[in-house]
Amino acid sequence: MLLRARSWWFTLVAVGAALALLGGCGSVAYLSQSVRGHLGVMRAAKPVDDWLADAGTPAVLRERLLLSQRIRDFAVHELGLPDNASYRRYADLGRPAVVWNVVAAPELSLSLKTWCFPVVGCVGYRGYFDRGAADALAAELLSQGQEVSVYGVPAYSTLGKLPGDFFADPLLNTFIGYPEGELARLIFHELAHQVAYAKDDTEFNESFATAVERLGGERWLAQRADVSAREEYERFDARRRDFRTLVLATRTQLDALYRGPGSEADKRAGKAALMAQMRAEHARLKAGPWAGYGGYDAWFARANNASLGVQSAYNALVPGFEALFAAEGSDFTRFYAEVRRLASLPQAERRATLGAGRQLPPP
């Protein structure tokens, strides 16, 4: 999975208030599908111990579930992440993604369209449990002249806001087979969303969770993984680092082009040249260090402003969070306390503290 984007679905916490506040039929229908979809996921999940006790559980799945619980324990005892029922149950949804997200951007901008909701605030994507519904919204946005990307999401977080074990975030078939290091990082990332959340600031929330997943993933691989798992993950992550470096460079060039002088015709021509350059570099990577690996082919074939724009939310502030972790003595408890304090501040103050604009090659 090249983009592990996540979504929020704690609409259930305030669904009554949300339906009262949102008068449009479209908004009510959207919230209703969110509720139905989330309940469907919850009903499909059962405790990991039940799967392990079932003689019909395949051996490969059994091994992955046992691994997931070692990772989950590590998250609590070594990373200070929440000790609750999240990722103590498993569900096979019978589909490749739990949610399909829709993102959109103008022809000559990387700024994502946003949607706003009660409680959760504004976000730069809209998620659907049904692929057909996501495609329908994408078609509508395309007809409005937007560039659109629809992508599958393997996991999402309810932010720990829903009561009881039944509503706790479960393990899913959509990610249980990930390489060991990536499975650990995903679980750490989603649990981090339960630690701190800043309303209307996707970049802050996702960058924080990405920083936790990287810091925690490094510790897991160094302390608990065997040589083969570390080698497998290094091959996986080396390609991802190449991907992110290429995408970041292209985003930076496109942003400068769009914000700079020149006619729309000039910008369209420059955009076409930059996109062609990016695809040519992908072909070079595939033929060279990636040894023919084709997992990114579809992304590059469909790449546009929307798919490039969504990448920034998960990495832009990570260097600032990593610096903050070091400043707090590499102590997760102190680090989380400071992040929660930042989440309570106005966005401008958060950015100033994290040193917005400082970018490093994403690992």
Side-chain angles (χ1 to χ4, degrees):
M1 172 64 82
L2 67 94
L3 176 61
R4 291 195 288 101
R6 287 90 178 169
S7 182
W8 45 264
W9 294 103
F10 66 84
T11 321
L12 291 170
V13 176
V15 67
L19 293 176
L21 287 168
L22 294 174
C25 293
S27 297
V28 172
Y30 175 72
L31 289 171
S32 295
Q33 73 85 32
S34 299
V35 172
R36 290 194 306 272
H38 183 70
L39 285 174
V41 173
M42 297 301 102
R43 291 191 187 105
K46 63 182 183 181
V48 168
D49 286 345
D50 289 359
W51 288 93
L52 296 175
D54 186 345
T57 299
V60 173
L61 175 58
R62 186 183 303 276
E63 183 276 328
R64 300 302 291 180
L65 292 174
L66 287 169
L67 171 63
S68 74
Q69 298 311 283
R70 294 196 296 272
I71 291 170
R72 186 65 182 87
D73 291 340
F74 184 89
V76 173
H77 301 301
E78 301 295 331
L79 308 182
L81 289 167
D83 185 5
N84 55 33
S86 295
Y87 308 108
R88 299 296 190 181
R89 298 188 304 149
Y90 171 75
D92 186 340
L93 303 178
R95 59 182 191 256
V98 60
V99 168
W100 284 268
N101 275 359
V102 182
V103 290
E107 179 191 8
L108 297 175
S109 172
L110 294 170
S111 297
L112 296 180
K113 176 180 174 61
T114 58
W115 288 269
C116 298
F117 306 94
V119 184
V120 295
C122 300
V123 292
Y125 51 84
R126 189 155 171 152
Y128 291 88
F129 285 89
D130 176 67
R131 176 62 191 262
D135 288 339
L137 175 61
E140 178 184 339
L141 294 168
L142 282 169
S143 72
Q144 299 170 6
Q146 296 280 307
E147 294 191 357
V148 182
S149 176
V150 179
Y151 58 91
V153 175
Y156 63 80
S157 174
T158 58
L159 312 184
K161 300 295 185 181
L162 301 180
D165 293 357
F166 176 81
F167 286 115
D169 298 321
L171 299 158
L172 299 172
N173 66 294
T174 54
F175 61 83
I176 195 65
Y178 278 6
E180 180 176 328
E182 186 66 359
L183 178 62
R185 283 177 56 145
L186 184 146
I187 291 173
F188 301 156
H189 182 112
E190 299 303 339
L191 288 170
H193 282 308
Q194 299 183 18
V195 172
Y197 183 84
K199 187 176 180 180
D200 296 338
D201 199 341
T202 299
E203 190 173 72
F204 177 91
N205 297 325
E206 294 298 346
S207 291
F208 164 61
T210 297
V212 172
E213 77 165 70
R214 291 182 187 175
L215 295 164
E218 289 171 1
R219 290 196 181 191
W220 171 267
L221 288 167
Q223 297 178 17
R224 301 298 173 88
D226 61 22
V227 173
S228 63
R230 288 195 291 270
E231 290 177 347
E232 176 192 34
Y233 183 75
E234 177 53 34
R235 290 190 296 271
F236 174 93
D237 201 43
R239 292 190 296 262
R240 179 167 55 188
R241 290 195 301 268
D242 289 341
F243 167 78
R244 286 178 172 166
T245 298
L246 174 55
V247 169
L248 176 61
T250 303
R251 285 192 75 262
T252 300
Q253 292 171 303
L254 282 171
D255 190 54
L257 172 70
Y258 296 152
R259 295 177 185 274
S263 66
E264 288 191 355
D266 290 338
K267 291 180 179 181
R268 289 190 183 97
K271 172 185 176 181
L274 288 171
M275 296 296 279
Q277 176 181 301
M278 179 182 72
R279 292 186 172 104
E281 177 60 14
H282 166 240
R284 185 195 69 77
L285 288 168
K286 182 178 176 180
W290 292 1
Y293 176 76
Y296 292 96
D297 289 359
W299 190 93
F300 282 103
R302 297 192 296 263
N304 58 23
N305 287 340
S307 54
L308 285 160
V310 76
Q311 289 285 331
S312 67
Y314 300 93
N315 297 286
L317 301 177
V318 172
F321 280 112
E322 291 176 333
L324 181 62
F325 180 72
E328 295 297 331
S330 299
D331 182 287
F332 279 101
T333 300
R334 288 170 49 188
F335 174 56
Y336 297 153
E338 180 61 11
V339 171
R340 284 191 289 267
R341 186 188 71 82
L342 291 178
S344 69
L345 299 177
Q347 185 179 100
E349 292 185 43
R350 292 198 289 268
R351 292 299 187 277
T353 301
L354 292 169
R358 290 189 296 119
Q359 298 233 3
L360 301 176

